[in-house]
């Protein structure tokens, strides 16, 4: 009896220790590459961490490393989270290039200019078509921004012919191919280096949605803006799988509650909000803003058909045999979203 009592007591102590460990406070490191004034930081990541801290009753705390910090390099977000240097990372799928060829198909020209539609397509297609690109991490969200514009300094662009020879900063392989096909010279640069490169005349312009134009202060060194709506760019928000697995059941449930479907549904409205100040600043500075007509958009899209076929082939050459199928599924899913939101 005394042995049995000791065994039960030992089991109870072990259970209590496990419960204490499971409920112990943990601090997770979150990294991203944007300045702390950007909406991704202020409206998305900070509130997301606060919601989870509240949901876990303080069990999970967070330390955030934005641009300018030791962990804020855009090119290192994936490797940092894979290695466990950080627990959670937000990054661009196109930097460094070639790591997410399936996901980056959403960046193809004229597929969509709507963040809500692109984000919906990415999340809907993730389980079947994109998941193998994210082994070793728990995907909390995939999303994309609104249609990008061409912003230039010194040279006004209104036609395809005006693109010839311009050195334009590019965010992803698909956009690089698009710029090359239009006669420009794409320059791969992290967002944080664009201001100085424009100021020094190293580049003639950049492609961005409006929001980073505001957050990186680019209206100070820009003159013209052409609303192409020709492309979008995709992002990942992921967690190291071991970090997630080490959380208590309660903490996992809280992470799940504020991620996935509940999170991706917000990006369309967020991007609309984030874009507005950048355009307002350009207008206040007296910049000239042009918009492609429907006829021009059709002309540009037609001119880019060979480039699109070539880019799809390059994705197949990287081992994505069903690139055509994924691309078609993206187009179909975007159309489904558009029909539902008319």
């Amino acid at each position: 009896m005394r042995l049995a009592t000791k065994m039960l007591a030992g089991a109870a102590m072990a259970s209590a220790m496990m419960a204490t460990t499971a409920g112990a406070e943990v601090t997770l490191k979150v990294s991203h590459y944007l300045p702390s004034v950007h909406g991704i930081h202020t409206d998305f990541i900070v509130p997301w961490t606060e919601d989870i801290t509240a949901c876990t009753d303080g069990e999970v705390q967070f330390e955030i490393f934005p641009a300018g910090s030791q962990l804020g390099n855009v090119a290192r977000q994936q490797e940092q989270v894979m290695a466990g240097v950080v627990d959670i990372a937000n990054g661009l799928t196109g930097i460094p290039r070639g790591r997410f060829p399936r996901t980056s198909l959403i960046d193809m020209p004229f597929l969509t200019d709507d963040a809500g539609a692109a984000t919906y397509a990415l999340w809907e297609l993730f389980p079947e078509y994109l998941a193998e690109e994210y082994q070793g991490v728990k995907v909390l969200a995939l999303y994309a921004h609104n249609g990008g514009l061409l912003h230039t300094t010194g040279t006004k662009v209104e036609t395809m012919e005006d693109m010839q020879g311009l050195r334009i900063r590019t965010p992803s392989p698909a956009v690089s191919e698009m710029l090359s096909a239009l006669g420009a010279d794409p320059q791969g640069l992290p967002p944080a280096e664009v201001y100085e490169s424009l100021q020094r005349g190293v580049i003639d312009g950049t492609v961005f949605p409006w929001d980073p134009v505001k957050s990186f202060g680019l209206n100070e060194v820009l003159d013209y803006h052409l609303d192409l709506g020709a492309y979008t760019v995709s992002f990942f928000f992921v967690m190291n799988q071991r970090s997630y697995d080490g959380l208590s059941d309660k903490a996992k449930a809280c992470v799940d509650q504020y991620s996935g479907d509940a999170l991706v549904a917000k990006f369309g409205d967020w991007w609309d909000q984030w874009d507005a100040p950048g355009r307002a600043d350009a207008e206040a500075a007296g910049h000239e803003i042009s918009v492609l007509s429907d006829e021009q958009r059709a002309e540009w899209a037609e001119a880019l058909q060979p480039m699109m076929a070539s880019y799809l082939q390059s994705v197949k050459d990287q081992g994505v045999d069903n690139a055509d199928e994924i691309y078609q599924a993206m187009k179909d899913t975007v159309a489904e979203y558009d029909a539902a939101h008319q």
Side-chain angles (χ1 to χ4, degrees):
M1 287 292 292
R2 277 184 288 181
L3 178 60
T5 301
K6 288 181 179 179
M7 289 176 65
L8 286 171
M13 287 179 63
S15 178
M17 288 177 64
M18 288 176 65
T20 301
T21 301
E25 184 177 306
V26 59
T27 298
L28 300 178
K29 292 181 178 179
V30 184
S31 66
H32 67 85
Y33 67 94
L34 291 151
S36 56
V37 296
H38 193 284
I40 282 180
H41 181 91
T42 59
D43 300 334
F44 160 27
I45 292 179
V46 170
W48 183 85
T49 63
E50 292 173 345
D51 285 339
I52 292 173
T53 296
C55 178
T56 61
D57 297 318
E59 178 186 329
V60 179
Q61 305 285 331
F62 295 89
E63 187 176 5
I64 303 173
F65 297 87
S69 69
Q70 60 180 332
L71 300 174
N73 187 320
V74 64
R76 296 179 180 169
Q77 295 308 306
Q78 184 205 24
E79 64 188 51
Q80 287 175 168
V81 76
M82 292 288 292
V85 175
V86 299
D87 302 287
I88 298 164
N90 183 83
L92 282 166
T93 60
I95 300 179
R97 65 181 297 161
R99 293 188 179 183
F100 299 95
R102 295 166 180 81
T103 307
S104 294
L105 287 169
I106 200 71
D107 302 357
M108 289 276 278
F110 295 102
L111 177 56
T112 180
D113 64 355
D114 183 89
T119 300
Y120 174 78
L122 287 169
W123 196 242
E124 283 293 302
L125 300 180
F126 167 69
E128 182 176 357
Y129 290 113
L130 311 178
E132 63 184 278
E133 294 187 337
Y134 299 90
Q135 296 180 29
V137 295
K138 176 177 175 62
V139 178
L140 305 174
L142 297 176
Y143 63 99
H145 66 48
N146 278 331
L149 299 87
L150 174 66
H151 313 273
T152 53
T153 180
T155 302
K156 180 180 177 181
V157 176
E158 292 183 299
T159 68
M160 284 186 283
E161 289 70 28
D162 295 333
M163 296 283 290
Q164 297 300 313
L166 293 183
R167 298 160 298 172
I168 306 297
R169 178 264 173 184
T170 177
S172 73
V175 178
S176 295
E177 296 292 335
M178 178 189 78
L179 292 171
S180 293
L182 293 170
D185 181 9
Q187 306 288 313
L189 288 174
E193 295 180 17
V194 173
Y195 185 104
E196 183 178 358
S197 296
L198 286 166
Q199 189 178 48
R200 293 170 52 206
V202 174
I203 58 174
D204 302 298
T206 183
V207 284
F208 270 135
W210 279 113
D211 77 283
V213 172
K214 169 69 175 180
S215 57
F216 288 102
L218 299 182
N219 276 320
E220 297 174 7
V221 289
L222 291 168
D223 301 306
Y224 303 101
H225 312 269
L226 177 61
D227 192 347
L228 291 167
Y231 77 97
T232 189
V233 163
S234 48
F235 304 76
F236 59 81
F237 185 53
V238 300
M239 184 172 186
N240 180 283
Q241 189 66 52
R242 295 184 301 276
S243 297
Y244 177 81
D245 292 342
L247 297 176
S248 68
D249 289 344
K250 177 181 179 179
K252 288 177 186 175
C254 289
V255 170
D256 293 347
Q257 178 181 339
Y258 288 99
S259 305
D261 293 342
L263 180 56
V264 298
K266 299 177 180 180
F267 284 100
D269 289 340
W270 273 339
W271 281 110
D272 289 344
Q273 295 169 21
W274 299 338
D275 280 343
R279 184 183 179 101
D281 278 1
E283 291 172 343
H287 294 182
E288 190 167 343
I289 303 171
S290 306
V291 181
L292 285 185
S293 67
D294 290 341
E295 293 78 12
Q296 287 174 310
R297 283 178 59 82
E299 179 187 351
W300 287 52
E302 179 63 28
L304 289 170
Q305 289 303 312
M307 167 259 143
M308 296 185 200
S310 175
Y311 184 76
L312 279 170
Q313 184 58 52
S314 73
V315 174
K316 295 176 195 174
D317 292 343
Q318 294 178 63
V320 185
D321 296 332
N322 62 338
D324 290 323
E325 181 183 348
I326 298 172
Y327 180 52
Q328 185 61 51
M330 286 179 172
K331 291 196 290 186
D332 292 344
T333 310
V334 164
E336 173 189 309
Y337 179 93
D338 290 343
H341 290 80
Q342 287 180 348

